[in-house]
Amino acid sequence: AAALTSEFGKTVDLRRLRPGHLLRFHHDRTGIVDSVEMKVIGWGEVDAVRNGDHFDVKSREGTVTEAETTLGGRVDTSLWDAVRGGGESPQLVQQIADIFQWDIDFFALRKGDSFSLVVRKKYVDGDPVGSGKIMAARFQHRGKTYEAFRNDDAEGQGGYYDGAGAPLQKQFLRAPLRYSRITSGFSMNRYHPILHILRPHHGVDYGAPVGTPVMTTANGVVLDAGRKGGAGNYIRISHGNHIETHYLHLSRFAKGIRPGCKVTQGEVIGYVGATGLATGPHLDYRISDNGEWLDPMKLRSTTPDPLRGKGLEEFRARIARLQPRLAAPAEQVAQVAPKRRALF
């Protein structure tokens, strides 16, 4: 075992080995191991043949291929369960949420909501090793259909647009954190659980475990980041045109967050806590316009410019082949993968 570990280790990082990877040992007539074959799924194969008191090792890295895979699902309990129940990765759940985060409230999905996707997947010798970018997506939520198609520039950078070429990205995210629940809404007359009085609640409370990352919902500049009475650890960000967002009761701030620093939409600025007047861990998220409080759940967000001219024509030509693949009902969507190599 020590000799094999030493020889194999010169060729492949044995920390890659996981349950399900394959090893085949060959013995001579006396029972001594004279050769070993190892298949490291997602990497390739290694052969070791005994040569006296050591082993000669040869390796073959697997053939890497990419293919567009069509898949879909139907929501029964949550998007997480729908995607993970189909054997897909957590990263795919996050991609879906990121794409539609400006239009769909993923805290309010209904049973029967469905989705279909065209995803670029990577394979090594036919074994899936991860999901790449979603090239096209359709999500049916509360009787309404949302579509998204990826549009990349020459450097591979880009974003998602609807079928008409309008960008899905908006100025503000719908929520400042993921996978949470709303515990209290915007109200002008709410009973305060600690002070035991009726008073306005100028934000939306998101219940989440301590340490859950909190994101800024739009590009801006940090105005305040510190301790502020009942708000606890608190961040205030200016987004121009007199619009500010406020993040209360944080356990701590993200590295580098201080007054004057610039932040970008989706950037982690702090972490959920229960500092200040709080009965438990949550984020109190608020929006103000020139000092007047707005209901974050009713905020109308602005949209960047749509595609035009030649760029729009090229975009339409690319998505023409993708749209029919999204049209199949979720339960009929097939999963397609390259043919696997023989194990050995």
Side-chain angles (χ1 to χ4, degrees), residues 278-336:
T279 57
H282 73 283
L283 172 73
D284 185 346
Y285 171 60
R286 305 184 178 190
I287 300 177
S288 63
D289 182 359
N290 203 22
E292 179 181 352
W293 296 107
L294 305 178
D295 184 347
M297 303 303 293
K298 297 180 180 180
L299 179 69
R300 291 188 176 183
S301 185
T302 58
T303 305
D305 292 335
L307 298 174
R308 293 188 176 91
K310 185 178 179 181
L312 178 59
E313 292 177 8
E314 294 175 347
F315 172 76
R316 285 175 171 169
R318 285 196 299 272
I319 71 172
R321 69 177 182 82
L322 296 172
Q323 284 180 312
R325 299 178 65 177
L326 297 176
E331 64 271 14
Q332 297 179 10
V333 173
Q335 297 195 26
V336 182

Side-chain angles (χ1 to χ4, degrees), residues 220-233:
V221 177
V222 176
L223 299 178
D224 293 314
R227 190 86 176 190
K228 186 180 179 181
N233 290 329

Side-chain angles (χ1 to χ4, degrees), residues 3 8 22 59 226 241 243:
F8 275 136
L22 305 172
S59 64
N241 296 323
I243 300 291

Side-chain angles (χ1 to χ4, degrees), residues 28-309:
D28 64 15
R29 293 181 179 179
T30 65
I32 296 176
V33 174
D34 57 13
S35 67
V36 181
E37 298 169 87
M38 178 167 63
K39 180 178 175 65
V40 183
I41 296 174
W43 182 83
E45 299 172 4
V46 185
D47 296 327
V49 179
R50 183 180 290 278
N51 182 2
D53 59 355
H54 69 280
F55 288 86
D56 294 329
V57 178
K58 294 181 179 180
S59 64
R60 184 194 67 81
E61 291 192 31
T63 301
V64 179
T65 58
E66 285 194 355
E68 284 187 353
T69 301
T70 305
L71 54 93
R74 190 174 300 278
V75 175
D76 184 28
T77 55
S78 68
L79 177 62
W80 175 275
D81 289 341
V83 175
R84 296 290 285 144
E88 300 298 330
S89 68
Q91 290 75 19
L92 192 61
V93 182
Q94 191 60 66
Q95 277 201 71
I96 298 171
D98 286 345
I99 290 170
F100 292 110
Q101 61 187 308
W102 296 277
D103 296 307
I104 298 175
D105 184 355
F106 284 94
F107 304 132
L109 294 183
R110 288 183 174 179
K111 184 176 182 179
D113 288 350
S114 62
F115 60 90
S116 54
L117 312 169
V118 178
V119 185
R120 289 202 64 81
K121 285 194 170 185
K122 183 181 290 186
Y123 300 85
V124 175
D125 287 346
D127 295 311
V129 293
S131 297
K133 296 175 181 176
I134 293 176
M135 305 308 297
R138 172 178 291 180
F139 207 106
Q140 293 178 311
H141 171 59
R142 294 176 176 261
K144 187 174 181 179
T145 299
Y146 301 86
E147 287 188 340
F149 302 91
R150 186 166 183 88
N151 188 58
D152 288 334
D153 57 23
E155 287 75 36
Q157 302 297 316
Y160 290 91
Y161 295 75
D162 65 18
L168 270 62
Q169 181 176 354
K170 308 294 193 301
Q171 182 182 2
F172 285 88
L173 300 177
R174 287 188 64 91
L177 63 162
R178 302 184 176 104
Y179 309 124
S180 181
R181 67 191 188 283
I182 293 175
T183 56
S184 183
F186 185 90
S187 173
M188 298 307 295
N189 197 28
R190 186 192 73 154
Y191 181 77
H192 196 282
I194 294 179
L195 301 178
H196 304 295
I197 58 174
L198 292 173
R199 72 176 193 174
H201 184 243
H202 294 136
V204 173
D205 287 348
Y206 292 92
V210 171
T212 300
V214 174
M215 306 174 295
T216 178
T217 52
N219 297 342
V221 177
V222 176
L223 299 178
D224 293 314
R227 190 86 176 190
K228 186 180 179 181
N233 290 329
Y234 161 86
I235 296 175
R236 179 167 64 102
I237 298 175
S238 171
H239 306 285
N241 296 323
H242 309 293
I243 300 291
E244 297 178 356
T245 55
H246 309 249
Y247 309 80
L248 286 63
H249 308 304
L250 301 171
S251 60
R252 59 189 175 94
F253 306 107
K255 185 177 181 180
I257 296 299
R258 60 180 62 89
C261 73
K262 294 182 179 180
V263 291
T264 57
Q265 186 180 71
E267 180 179 344
V268 174
I269 56 173
Y271 301 88
V272 169
T275 56
L277 290 177
T279 57
H282 73 283
L283 172 73
D284 185 346
Y285 171 60
R286 305 184 178 190
I287 300 177
S288 63
D289 182 359
N290 203 22
E292 179 181 352
W293 296 107
L294 305 178
D295 184 347
M297 303 303 293
K298 297 180 180 180
L299 179 69
R300 291 188 176 183
S301 185
T302 58
T303 305
D305 292 335
L307 298 174
R308 293 188 176 91

